[in-house]
Amino acid sequence: MTEVRVRYAPSPTGHLHIGNARTALFNYLFARNLGGKFIIRIEDTDVKRNIEGGEESQLKYLKWLGINWDESIDVGGDYGPYRQTERLDIYRQYWQELLDKGLAYRCYCTEEELEQEREEQIAKGETPRYSGRHRDLTEEQQKAFEAEGRVASIRFRVPENKTYAFDDLVKGPISFESNISGDFVIVKKDGIPTYNFAVVLDDYLMKISHVLRGEDHISNTPRQLMIYEAFGWEPPKFGHMTLIVGENHKKLSKRDESVIQFIEQYDQLGYLPEAMFNFIALLGWSPEGEEEIFSQEELISIFDANRLSKSPAVFDTNKLAHINNTYIKNSDPERIAALAIPQLQKASRLPAELTDEQLSWAKSLVALYQEQMTSASDIVELSELFFRTHMELDTEAAAVLSEPQVPEVLQAFLSKVEQAPEFSAASMAVLIKEVQKETGYKGKQLFMPIRVALTGQMHGRDLNQTIYLLGKDRVLDRLKSQIRGA
């Protein structure tokens, strides 16, 4: 069997999007499962759209996800350069070969002429396509156009009445008729090759065996097959993955704010990279059985392209929350604290520089909520009760504090806290037990008034640890405030 070689080929025109991350991840799993190579190639020929830092951002967040590669701009390899703008001399010799064989030709049409042609075709109810008006120019005609100052693009001569078919790894058999396409541009007037031309040369010269990409590329495949045929090359095996859709089953739009769509944002919100890797792997691919939590090693060992879905992948935010929460719960508390404490600092809940005492308190606070967090940023909202200056009670909580035993319970607890020689989570449990003996109240009649008076909430994390983290001064202030208001 030929060596499996797959590639992810981003354009540095933006940050790593969830859809592109999935393409990279599936290619990575496919290669690793079959003992092959995973290559990253930078397709940067659309110079006007490239953004500063786009290339670095793509690579940084692929690494963040836990994806590594065998060949690329940063690690080298036998088939470089791995950046398209550094391969222009390579492309030039191949387009010249097509010109020499009469399989491509120079087209001197202006944008205005092409636009007029399109408009006339649309007016007649025809599908717009290049008419081939410069298909058979004589040498004299070409020189005349050049004398006018016209610059030529190079078009591929599309064969007539030919069927191009391939067996898609995901979709099954697909075929196209050549007549649906007019002669298409393979080199623009500025001498830069178009995507469909450059990608074929790169994939062939880099010995790419399988091309796994989004289904929006299906329409590019026949043009690419024509170019493979023109050079007498065997094409790779193609697999086109279905779109990712939102929970409304509409294609994810970058303007849709109901779904966070860039990997960088997940990093900033404190998601765990291994949880994101796990979640993305399940977007349009399913393992056997019902299990959803897998390590990267497990996903590599069970990945099978035959299980790529034929239906659109639904971006399920609840599933992502469940998966990330599972990873957070099982993570080292120190690691989660390191992700969550900056979120509290960003929200101005904690100072930018922490003393040892403040750091220790913050770590305990994060540990209190670790089981509940679906991302590290959740700590800001979850821990809000520790930072509020004024207690706002909803109707249900206010009803708890209006019960007849409440003043007695709160007064007894206040006295115990004031006199306690030690203030710790363990000592709070002892004090509450003493209040029970002294007042005769137990269960909800005892615990609920203390919780509501101190936190404003009916439910929450461990009460003794919560009281301890509130600190003695705040506990006394809140108890006195509620007793005065009762």
Side-chain angles (χ1 to χ4, degrees):
M1 178 183 168
T2 348
E3 182 186 36
V4 166
R5 289 176 58 82
V6 296
R7 48 72 170 178
Y8 168 61
S11 300
T13 53
H15 299 290
L16 184 60
H17 184 262
I18 199 90
N20 294 336
R22 182 189 68 163
T23 298
L25 192 146
F26 282 170
N27 276 282
Y28 170 76
L29 290 175
F30 185 80
R32 294 290 176 259
N33 174 268
L34 295 170
K37 295 283 197 308
F38 175 55
I39 294 104
I40 291 186
R41 183 174 72 227
I42 304 296
E43 297 190 343
D44 62 343
T45 52
D46 193 350
V47 180
K48 288 178 186 167
R49 291 184 59 230
N50 293 345
I51 64 165
E52 192 176 346
E55 194 176 277
E56 294 81 359
S57 175
Q58 289 273 341
L59 298 183
K60 174 183 176 181
Y61 284 100
L62 288 172
K63 284 176 185 167
W64 180 82
L65 279 169
I67 295 173
N68 54 58
W69 44 91
D70 303 291
E71 299 169 28
S72 189
I73 56 170
D74 57 340
V75 294
D78 295 336
Y79 300 93
Y82 293 92
R83 195 182 276 113
Q84 283 188 333
T85 50
E86 296 171 8
R87 297 174 63 80
L88 296 179
D89 287 343
I90 297 171
Y91 304 138
R92 193 171 289 112
Q93 70 185 72
Y94 284 98
W95 80 58
Q96 188 59 52
E97 182 182 330
L98 293 182
L99 285 170
D100 293 345
K101 289 179 175 175
L103 298 173
Y105 59 92
R106 299 186 192 281
C107 170
Y108 294 85
C109 291
T110 64
E111 281 306 313
E112 293 73 23
E113 287 169 342
L114 292 171
E115 183 55 38
Q116 186 183 349
E117 188 172 276
R118 276 193 290 270
E119 286 173 5
E120 287 170 1
Q121 289 170 337
I122 291 166
K124 291 178 191 169
E126 298 171 358
T127 305
R129 45 175 277 183
Y130 176 62
S131 63
R133 62 202 284 179
H134 286 185
R135 218 170 196 244
D136 301 303
L137 293 177
T138 62
E139 199 172 328
E140 290 73 24
Q141 287 172 313
Q142 290 187 41
K143 283 179 178 168
F145 280 133
E146 284 166 10
E148 282 179 33
R150 294 197 188 201
V151 179
S153 59
I154 299 174
R155 288 184 181 270
F156 182 79
R157 201 181 290 275
V158 172
E160 292 177 13
N161 305 316
K162 189 151 192 184
T163 301
Y164 287 87
F166 61 100
D167 194 7
D168 193 281
L169 292 167
V170 181
K171 307 275 186 188
I174 297 177
S175 64
F176 293 87
E177 297 306 316
S178 64
N179 294 350
I180 64 167
S181 172
D183 295 344
F184 55 92
V185 174
I186 57 172
V187 184
K188 293 176 280 189
K189 292 182 181 186
D190 59 5
I192 302 289
T194 58
Y195 167 76
N196 279 316
F197 184 63
V199 77
V200 168
L201 297 178
D202 291 342
D203 285 346
Y204 175 74
L205 295 172
M206 293 181 184
K207 298 194 181 325
I208 299 302
S209 62
H210 297 76
V211 172
L212 297 177
R213 57 190 181 186
E215 68 178 8
D216 49 331
H217 281 287
I218 288 179
S219 59
N220 288 320
T221 311
R223 291 183 171 190
Q224 292 168 18
L225 289 173
M226 291 176 198
I227 294 168
Y228 277 106
E229 180 186 66
F231 285 113
W233 297 338
E234 186 181 341
K237 291 184 170 61
F238 292 99
H240 291 91
M241 298 167 284
T242 55
L243 297 172
I244 301 174
V245 296
E247 286 164 18
N248 57 4
H249 291 270
K250 290 182 180 171
K251 181 185 173 183
L252 276 191
S253 154
K254 289 177 184 174
R255 290 183 297 278
D256 180 358
E257 294 180 3
S258 66
V259 172
I260 300 164
Q261 297 193 35
F262 293 94
I263 302 302
E264 183 176 357
Q265 293 171 291
Y266 286 101
D267 178 26
Q268 290 167 351
L269 288 168
Y271 282 75
L272 298 185
E274 60 269 38
M276 290 302 299
F277 189 104
N278 188 159
F279 172 72
I280 293 169
L282 301 176
L283 278 175
W285 175 82
S286 57
E288 292 181 19
E290 300 299 313
E291 183 56 56
E292 287 185 332
I293 306 296
F294 297 97
S295 68
Q296 183 180 133
E297 293 71 25
E298 288 168 332
L299 286 164
I300 287 170
S301 69
I302 62 176
F303 187 80
D304 178 357
N306 292 322
R307 297 189 65 83
L308 286 167
S309 173
K310 291 177 169 57
S311 309
V314 178
F315 192 104
D316 184 339
T317 50
N318 291 327
K319 182 192 275 193
L320 173 56
H322 162 70
I323 289 175
N324 204 51
N325 171 251
T326 301
Y327 278 86
I328 287 176
K329 282 193 292 196
N330 295 314
S331 286
D332 174 15
E334 286 283 333
R335 182 187 181 197
I336 302 308
L339 291 172
I341 289 170
Q343 300 288 340
L344 290 166
Q345 291 169 313
K346 194 161 63 177
S348 303
R349 295 279 170 83
L350 291 175
E353 296 293 327
L354 299 175
T355 64
D356 289 348
E357 188 181 345
Q358 288 170 325
L359 180 60
S360 175
W361 180 86
K363 286 180 177 180
S364 298
L365 181 70
V366 173
L368 183 66
Y369 290 102
Q370 183 166 338
E371 283 199 3
Q372 282 184 282
M373 289 193 284
T374 60
S375 72
S377 59
D378 287 354
I379 190 64
V380 176
E381 191 177 334
L382 288 169
S383 65
E384 182 269 336
L385 71 93
F386 289 90
F387 303 97
R388 66 170 71 143
T389 51
H390 179 66
M391 199 79 74
E392 288 286 345
L393 301 180
D394 62 22
T395 311
E396 209 179 346
V400 167
L401 293 184
S402 67
E403 290 171 6
Q405 86 285 7
V406 169
E408 185 183 353
V409 167
L410 294 186
Q411 187 59 59
F413 187 56
L414 172 64
S415 302
K416 300 288 180 195
V417 173
E418 284 177 325
Q419 295 162 23
E422 178 196 350
F423 192 86
S424 66
S427 66
M428 291 308 104
V430 173
L431 296 187
I432 292 172
K433 196 78 176 163
E434 288 176 8
V435 172
Q436 180 183 328
K437 284 181 188 169
E438 189 177 301
T439 63
Y441 295 111
K442 58 185 180 179
K444 278 189 175 181
Q445 287 187 308
L446 171 66
F447 292 102
M448 198 63 88
I450 294 173
R451 181 180 289 283
V452 172
L454 294 177
T455 69
Q457 298 173 353
M458 300 276 291
H459 310 284
R461 305 301 290 161
D462 178 82
L463 181 57
N464 301 318
Q465 182 70 1
T466 301
I467 296 170
Y468 164 64
L469 289 173
L470 278 166
K472 187 170 184 176
D473 291 345
R474 196 182 276 125
V475 166
L476 292 175
D477 284 347
R478 289 186 182 182
L479 287 171
K480 287 172 185 173
S481 175
Q482 291 300 341
I483 290 166
R484 277 198 306 273

